[in-house]
Short mmCIF file of all heavy atoms in Angstrom, two decimals:
data_model
loop_
_atom_site.label_atom_id
_atom_site.label_comp_id
_atom_site.label_asym_id
_atom_site.label_seq_id
_atom_site.Cartn_x
_atom_site.Cartn_y
_atom_site.Cartn_z
N THR A 241 -106.76 -112.25 59.39
CA THR A 241 -105.48 -112.22 58.67
C THR A 241 -104.27 -112.23 59.60
O THR A 241 -103.15 -112.06 59.14
CB THR A 241 -105.41 -110.97 57.76
OG1 THR A 241 -105.56 -109.78 58.56
CG2 THR A 241 -106.51 -111.00 56.71
N ILE A 242 -104.49 -112.40 60.90
CA ILE A 242 -103.36 -112.46 61.83
C ILE A 242 -102.69 -113.83 61.69
O ILE A 242 -103.32 -114.86 61.88
CB ILE A 242 -103.81 -112.23 63.28
CG1 ILE A 242 -104.41 -110.83 63.42
CG2 ILE A 242 -102.63 -112.41 64.23
CD1 ILE A 242 -104.93 -110.52 64.81
N PRO A 243 -101.39 -113.86 61.33
CA PRO A 243 -100.72 -115.16 61.13
C PRO A 243 -100.63 -115.96 62.43
O PRO A 243 -100.58 -115.39 63.53
CB PRO A 243 -99.31 -114.75 60.66
CG PRO A 243 -99.40 -113.31 60.29
CD PRO A 243 -100.49 -112.72 61.11
N SER A 244 -100.61 -117.26 62.29
CA SER A 244 -100.38 -118.12 63.45
C SER A 244 -98.89 -118.12 63.77
O SER A 244 -98.05 -117.84 62.90
CB SER A 244 -100.87 -119.54 63.18
OG SER A 244 -100.20 -120.07 62.05
N ILE A 245 -98.55 -118.41 65.01
CA ILE A 245 -97.15 -118.41 65.43
C ILE A 245 -96.77 -119.81 65.90
O ILE A 245 -97.45 -120.41 66.74
CB ILE A 245 -96.91 -117.37 66.56
CG1 ILE A 245 -95.48 -117.39 67.06
CG2 ILE A 245 -97.89 -117.54 67.69
CD1 ILE A 245 -94.49 -116.75 66.12
N ASN A 246 -95.72 -120.35 65.32
CA ASN A 246 -95.24 -121.69 65.68
C ASN A 246 -93.87 -121.59 66.33
O ASN A 246 -93.09 -120.69 66.06
CB ASN A 246 -95.15 -122.58 64.43
CG ASN A 246 -96.50 -122.78 63.78
OD1 ASN A 246 -97.48 -123.05 64.46
ND2 ASN A 246 -96.55 -122.64 62.47
N GLY A 247 -93.57 -122.53 67.18
CA GLY A 247 -92.24 -122.60 67.79
C GLY A 247 -91.97 -121.49 68.78
O GLY A 247 -90.80 -121.13 69.00
N PHE A 248 -93.01 -120.94 69.38
CA PHE A 248 -92.81 -119.86 70.34
C PHE A 248 -92.50 -120.44 71.72
O PHE A 248 -93.19 -121.34 72.20
CB PHE A 248 -94.07 -118.99 70.43
CG PHE A 248 -93.90 -117.78 71.30
CD1 PHE A 248 -93.50 -116.57 70.77
CD2 PHE A 248 -94.14 -117.86 72.67
CE1 PHE A 248 -93.34 -115.45 71.57
CE2 PHE A 248 -93.99 -116.75 73.48
CZ PHE A 248 -93.58 -115.54 72.93
N VAL A 249 -91.45 -119.92 72.35
CA VAL A 249 -91.11 -120.36 73.71
C VAL A 249 -90.71 -119.15 74.53
O VAL A 249 -90.31 -118.10 74.00
CB VAL A 249 -89.94 -121.38 73.72
CG1 VAL A 249 -90.31 -122.64 72.96
CG2 VAL A 249 -88.67 -120.76 73.14
N GLY A 250 -90.81 -119.30 75.85
CA GLY A 250 -90.34 -118.25 76.76
C GLY A 250 -91.21 -117.00 76.76
O GLY A 250 -92.39 -117.04 76.45
N ARG A 251 -90.57 -115.88 77.13
CA ARG A 251 -91.24 -114.58 77.22
C ARG A 251 -92.37 -114.60 78.24
O ARG A 251 -93.36 -113.88 78.14
CB ARG A 251 -91.79 -114.13 75.87
CG ARG A 251 -90.78 -114.12 74.73
CD ARG A 251 -89.49 -113.46 75.11
NE ARG A 251 -88.95 -112.59 74.07
CZ ARG A 251 -87.86 -111.85 74.23
NH1 ARG A 251 -87.21 -111.88 75.38
NH2 ARG A 251 -87.44 -111.06 73.27
N ASP A 252 -92.24 -115.46 79.25
CA ASP A 252 -93.32 -115.66 80.21
C ASP A 252 -93.65 -114.39 80.99
O ASP A 252 -94.83 -114.10 81.24
CB ASP A 252 -92.94 -116.78 81.19
CG ASP A 252 -92.76 -118.12 80.49
OD1 ASP A 252 -93.45 -118.34 79.47
OD2 ASP A 252 -91.94 -118.93 80.94
N ASP A 253 -92.63 -113.62 81.39
CA ASP A 253 -92.88 -112.40 82.16
C ASP A 253 -93.65 -111.38 81.33
O ASP A 253 -94.57 -110.71 81.82
CB ASP A 253 -91.57 -111.79 82.64
CG ASP A 253 -90.90 -112.63 83.73
OD1 ASP A 253 -91.61 -113.48 84.32
OD2 ASP A 253 -89.70 -112.44 83.97
N TYR A 254 -93.26 -111.23 80.06
CA TYR A 254 -93.97 -110.29 79.18
C TYR A 254 -95.43 -110.72 79.00
O TYR A 254 -96.35 -109.91 79.07
CB TYR A 254 -93.29 -110.21 77.82
CG TYR A 254 -91.92 -109.60 77.84
CD1 TYR A 254 -90.85 -110.22 77.18
CD2 TYR A 254 -91.67 -108.39 78.49
CE1 TYR A 254 -89.59 -109.65 77.18
CE2 TYR A 254 -90.40 -107.82 78.49
CZ TYR A 254 -89.37 -108.46 77.83
OH TYR A 254 -88.11 -107.90 77.83
N LEU A 255 -95.63 -112.00 78.73
CA LEU A 255 -96.99 -112.50 78.51
C LEU A 255 -97.85 -112.34 79.76
O LEU A 255 -99.02 -111.97 79.67
CB LEU A 255 -96.96 -113.97 78.08
CG LEU A 255 -96.52 -114.23 76.64
CD1 LEU A 255 -96.25 -115.71 76.41
CD2 LEU A 255 -97.57 -113.72 75.66
N LYS A 256 -97.25 -112.60 80.90
CA LYS A 256 -98.00 -112.43 82.15
C LYS A 256 -98.44 -110.98 82.32
O LYS A 256 -99.59 -110.70 82.69
CB LYS A 256 -97.13 -112.86 83.34
CG LYS A 256 -97.84 -112.74 84.68
CD LYS A 256 -96.95 -113.21 85.82
CE LYS A 256 -97.67 -113.06 87.16
NZ LYS A 256 -96.80 -113.50 88.29
N SER A 257 -97.54 -110.05 82.06
CA SER A 257 -97.86 -108.63 82.17
C SER A 257 -98.97 -108.23 81.20
O SER A 257 -99.90 -107.49 81.55
CB SER A 257 -96.60 -107.80 81.92
OG SER A 257 -96.89 -106.41 81.97
N LEU A 258 -98.88 -108.72 79.97
CA LEU A 258 -99.90 -108.41 78.96
C LEU A 258 -101.25 -109.00 79.36
O LEU A 258 -102.30 -108.33 79.23
CB LEU A 258 -99.47 -108.97 77.60
CG LEU A 258 -98.29 -108.26 76.93
CD1 LEU A 258 -97.73 -109.12 75.79
CD2 LEU A 258 -98.71 -106.90 76.39
N ARG A 259 -101.25 -110.23 79.86
CA ARG A 259 -102.51 -110.87 80.27
C ARG A 259 -103.18 -110.10 81.40
O ARG A 259 -104.39 -109.88 81.39
CB ARG A 259 -102.23 -112.31 80.71
CG ARG A 259 -101.84 -113.26 79.60
CD ARG A 259 -101.35 -114.56 80.19
NE ARG A 259 -100.73 -115.43 79.20
CZ ARG A 259 -99.67 -116.19 79.45
NH1 ARG A 259 -99.10 -116.18 80.65
NH2 ARG A 259 -99.17 -116.96 78.50
N VAL A 260 -102.38 -109.71 82.39
CA VAL A 260 -102.94 -108.98 83.53
C VAL A 260 -103.56 -107.66 83.07
O VAL A 260 -104.68 -107.31 83.46
CB VAL A 260 -101.85 -108.71 84.59
CG1 VAL A 260 -102.35 -107.73 85.65
CG2 VAL A 260 -101.43 -110.02 85.27
N SER A 261 -102.84 -106.93 82.24
CA SER A 261 -103.36 -105.65 81.74
C SER A 261 -104.63 -105.85 80.92
O SER A 261 -105.58 -105.06 81.04
CB SER A 261 -102.30 -104.94 80.89
OG SER A 261 -101.19 -104.57 81.67
N TYR A 262 -104.65 -106.90 80.12
CA TYR A 262 -105.84 -107.18 79.31
C TYR A 262 -107.03 -107.49 80.21
O TYR A 262 -108.14 -106.97 79.97
CB TYR A 262 -105.55 -108.35 78.37
CG TYR A 262 -106.71 -108.69 77.47
CD1 TYR A 262 -107.00 -107.91 76.35
CD2 TYR A 262 -107.52 -109.81 77.73
CE1 TYR A 262 -108.07 -108.23 75.51
CE2 TYR A 262 -108.59 -110.12 76.89
CZ TYR A 262 -108.85 -109.33 75.80
OH TYR A 262 -109.92 -109.64 74.99
N ARG A 263 -106.82 -108.30 81.22
CA ARG A 263 -107.91 -108.64 82.15
C ARG A 263 -108.41 -107.40 82.89
O ARG A 263 -109.59 -107.32 83.28
CB ARG A 263 -107.46 -109.70 83.15
CG ARG A 263 -107.35 -111.10 82.56
CD ARG A 263 -107.30 -112.16 83.63
NE ARG A 263 -106.11 -112.03 84.46
CZ ARG A 263 -104.97 -112.67 84.23
NH1 ARG A 263 -104.84 -113.46 83.18
NH2 ARG A 263 -103.94 -112.51 85.05
N GLN A 264 -107.53 -106.43 83.09
CA GLN A 264 -107.90 -105.20 83.77
C GLN A 264 -108.56 -104.18 82.84
O GLN A 264 -108.94 -103.10 83.29
CB GLN A 264 -106.67 -104.59 84.43
CG GLN A 264 -106.12 -105.41 85.59
CD GLN A 264 -104.81 -104.87 86.14
OE1 GLN A 264 -104.13 -104.07 85.49
NE2 GLN A 264 -104.45 -105.32 87.34
#
């Protein structure tokens, strides 16, 4: 039930931080 997201741009620093933490 998680909606898809369209038209998303930027927020690269936040996403990078989230990805690193998730991998850890």
Side-chain angles (χ1 to χ4, degrees):
T241 59
I242 298 178
S244 58
I245 177 75
N246 298 315
F248 185 92
V249 298
R251 307 313 222 176
D252 298 328
D253 290 343
Y254 293 132
L255 285 169
K256 181 178 179 181
S257 178
L258 290 165
R259 291 170 190 142
V260 169
S261 294
Y262 181 77
R263 286 197 297 268
Q264 292 174 343

